[in-house]
Amino acid sequence: MTLLDITDLTVTYSTDDETIHAVNGVSFTIDEGVNYGLAGESGSGKSTAAEAVLGLLADNGTVESGTIEFKRTELTALSTEQRRDVLWEEIAYIPQSAMDSLDPVMTTGAQIKQAIQKHRNVSTAKARDRVRELFERVGLDPNRIDDYPHEFSGGMRQRVTIAMALALDPELIIADEPTTGLDVIVQDRIVDTILDIQERIDSSLLLITHDIGVIAETCDELSLLYGGKVMEQGSVESVLINPSNPYTMGLKNSFPSVDDTDENPVSIPGSPPNLTEEPSSCVFVDRCPFATEECEASHPDVVDLPNRNQRSACHHVQQAARMRRDAVDPAT
Ligand code: ATP
Ligand code: MG
């Protein structure tokens, strides 16, 4: 069953002198039990899309159009209170930099206990037991629930935020860059923890990260955003093994670990698009090796690729696919 269904979501931010088109007609769905990755370079609109789902956009942010259905309920039509209930009861959110936003003057256990007791009528003793259980589930020592955030390392603090997100048995967990800012080994352990949790409780996950290597390891499906547009989406296997979009290829080269090659990362030359105008050309045109007049003239629609669980927005899907094959085997 489909849990989250986002259709044509468009979000802008207004500042004193301009409008930022942060998310431009994004659609994707997350089915029950699926780990879904949302990837893309910094500024591509990942957090904005998540915040729109959660009803937590900054004050200057507006959902201009589109629908966001969670279990067939249109979230944008709910009152703020109703929305907050859904958020706490069914969708858990681990915001970007969550581990730095824990309350420094309250013990970690007390923060989780407070979240539980706000939404569940349980005794303090029961809530404490639950906190111990959650600590264990995320790989923390349950005897440390009375420790303060500063007594934990960064990786452990991130585990605390994951424990907090699991407190009310959510159906969907939205985690924004849960591994960023941690060293590589700790990142791996957090990824393992997420996978472990996924196996034991059958929630779905929306994992936001710029690191497609993390998505390759943890997710079933993904969307790649650029300039607030979906450039490519579908099954992780299909998209990351056979990318059909020049942007996906560029991202793959910046994370060689996806292919397990020893090549050095090569980041995509150029800089992100200007978001102050609604896209009138392909958002990737300035950085794309295949760009033609057609790409200047309009942004391509997202279209299904035949016989694959894969969709791509590119005027030159065929050429891009050919280039990928040539790169793999220049003889053919
Ligand atoms: P990152 O990987 O750096 O977290 P992101 O993909 O999450 O990036 P967003 O934070 O969604 O990107 O930002 C999308 C665009 O919207 C960026 O250009 C950003 O500068 C802009 N933006 C985000 N929040 C606001 C705001 N409150 N006011 C104005 N512009 C904003
Ligand atoms: Mg972000």
Side-chain angles (χ1 to χ4, degrees), residues 84-97:
R84 206 169 293 145
D85 286 345
V86 173
L87 177 53
W88 275 102
E89 295 293 331
E90 309 191 79
I91 306 179
Y93 176 44
I94 305 173
Q96 202 162 348
S97 316

Side-chain angles (χ1 to χ4, degrees), residues 13 15 20 22 40-48 58 60 96 177 275:
Y13 292 107
T15 65
I20 312 286
E41 292 180 331
S42 184
S44 56
K46 305 180 298 293
S47 296
T48 301
N60 65 335
Q96 202 162 348
E177 303 276 9
L275 298 172

Side-chain angles (χ1 to χ4, degrees), residues 62-246:
T62 310
V63 174
E64 299 284 350
S65 58
T67 57
I68 305 169
E69 285 186 9
F70 181 74
K71 295 205 292 189
R72 304 240 167 89
T73 301
E74 176 52 47
L75 293 186
T76 52
L78 298 181
S79 70
T80 313
E81 286 81 54
Q82 288 169 325
R83 188 98 183 234
R84 206 169 293 145
D85 286 345
V86 173
L87 177 53
W88 275 102
E89 295 293 331
E90 309 191 79
I91 306 179
Y93 176 44
I94 305 173
Q96 202 162 348
S97 316
M99 63 185 177
D100 302 323
S101 58
L102 290 168
D103 188 338
V105 297
M106 201 173 176
T107 68
T108 49
Q111 296 183 52
I112 301 176
K113 193 163 66 70
Q114 191 180 54
I116 296 171
Q117 287 188 305
K118 218 188 238 173
H119 301 273
R120 295 276 188 274
N121 192 9
V122 292
S123 67
T124 297
K126 273 240 167 67
R128 260 183 87 85
D129 286 347
R130 174 78 175 142
V131 175
R132 293 178 66 92
E133 187 188 308
L134 289 163
F135 260 50
E136 245 172 294
R137 183 174 287 174
V138 299
L140 289 170
D141 178 355
N143 295 318
R144 295 193 60 184
I145 63 171
D146 295 321
D147 285 3
Y148 288 88
H150 73 261
E151 296 176 87
F152 291 102
S153 66
M156 287 166 140
R157 279 204 300 277
Q158 190 60 300
R159 285 172 194 275
V160 172
T161 66
I162 295 171
M164 183 130 53
L166 297 174
L168 301 175
D169 286 323
E171 291 189 51
L172 175 66
I173 300 168
I174 299 183
D176 196 346
E177 303 276 9
T179 61
T180 302
L182 300 171
D183 74 53
V184 178
I185 294 168
V186 179
Q187 283 190 13
D188 278 350
R189 293 205 196 116
I190 294 286
V191 164
D192 287 343
T193 304
I194 291 171
L195 286 175
D196 189 50
I197 289 163
Q198 177 69 23
E199 249 169 53
R200 278 192 276 166
I201 62 175
D202 45 53
S203 56
S204 302
L205 174 71
L206 175 58
L207 179 71
I208 298 171
T209 173
H210 62 279
D211 185 341
I212 54 172
V214 170
I215 289 191
E217 278 180 66
T218 52
C219 292
D220 309 297
E221 294 177 44
L222 88 168
S223 282
L224 290 154
L225 295 188
Y226 184 76
K229 290 270 190 193
V230 170
M231 300 304 284
E232 188 158 12
Q233 65 186 185
S235 84
V236 166
E237 217 169 80
S238 198
V239 172
L240 293 185
I241 292 177
N242 285 311
S244 69
N245 194 292

